[in-house]
Amino acid sequence: MICSMRLVWSIALAAMSPVAASRPPVPDPPTGLWINPHGSVKVMTAPCAGKLCGWIVWASPQATMDAAAVGAPKLIGLELLRDYHPAGPHLWRGTVYVPDMARSFASRITQLDANRMKIDGCILAGLVCKSQIWRRA
């Protein structure tokens, strides 16, 4: 019994430590400027008509050429993240547009922490998904 009480107190003290208290809160929703893992696209996310959306505000020359090769419209100003709505704690569902494929996919955003979010794009009713970790720019 004494061992289990020590464990409980250790966990409680760790939770109140300055390290735990100094972590920034997870924003809800994840608004702001984000960059993809390749560093080729920056997206500004913001509320839009009661949902969360994101528009490309910067694209590398390579990303611009890749999108143009498949006939995608110009990238700057393109709505990449569309109509995301809350689906749970730090989770949103919507549609992601992939410019270099010129296609939209069912998607979810999972806010991992204050500076990282995971964006999944899925096909076949969510059976096949690809994800990327985006970082705050």
Side-chain angles (χ1 to χ4, degrees):
M1 180 71 171
I2 292 174
C3 258
S4 63
M5 285 302 290
R6 284 185 186 156
L7 178 62
V8 169
W9 278 107
S10 295
I11 292 169
L13 288 173
M16 294 185 297
S17 75
V19 173
S22 68
R23 289 187 189 132
V26 177
D28 191 14
T31 56
L33 186 61
W34 300 89
I35 189 164
N36 71 349
H38 308 291
S40 58
V41 173
K42 289 182 182 176
V43 170
M44 178 62 72
T45 59
C48 63
K51 297 189 179 183
L52 178 71
C53 300
W55 299 268
I56 296 175
V57 295
W58 177 85
S60 71
Q62 185 63 51
T64 302
M65 288 189 305
D66 291 346
V70 295
K74 74 175 192 156
L75 292 181
I76 306 303
L78 181 69
E79 188 176 10
L80 192 75
L81 306 172
R82 299 177 181 160
D83 298 327
Y84 284 81
H85 59 279
H90 311 298
L91 178 67
W92 294 265
R93 293 191 188 281
T95 303
V96 62
Y97 179 74
V98 180
D100 57 355
M101 295 177 73
R103 292 190 55 200
S104 294
F105 299 94
S107 175
R108 70 180 170 231
I109 294 174
T110 305
Q111 184 72 30
L112 302 174
D113 57 39
N115 295 310
R116 296 178 309 135
M117 67 178 175
K118 181 171 86 168
I119 301 176
D120 298 310
C122 302
I123 59 172
L124 301 174
L127 294 176
V128 179
C129 298
K130 183 178 178 182
S131 65
Q132 293 183 336
I133 306 290
W134 286 52
R135 296 197 177 277
R136 200 171 285 282

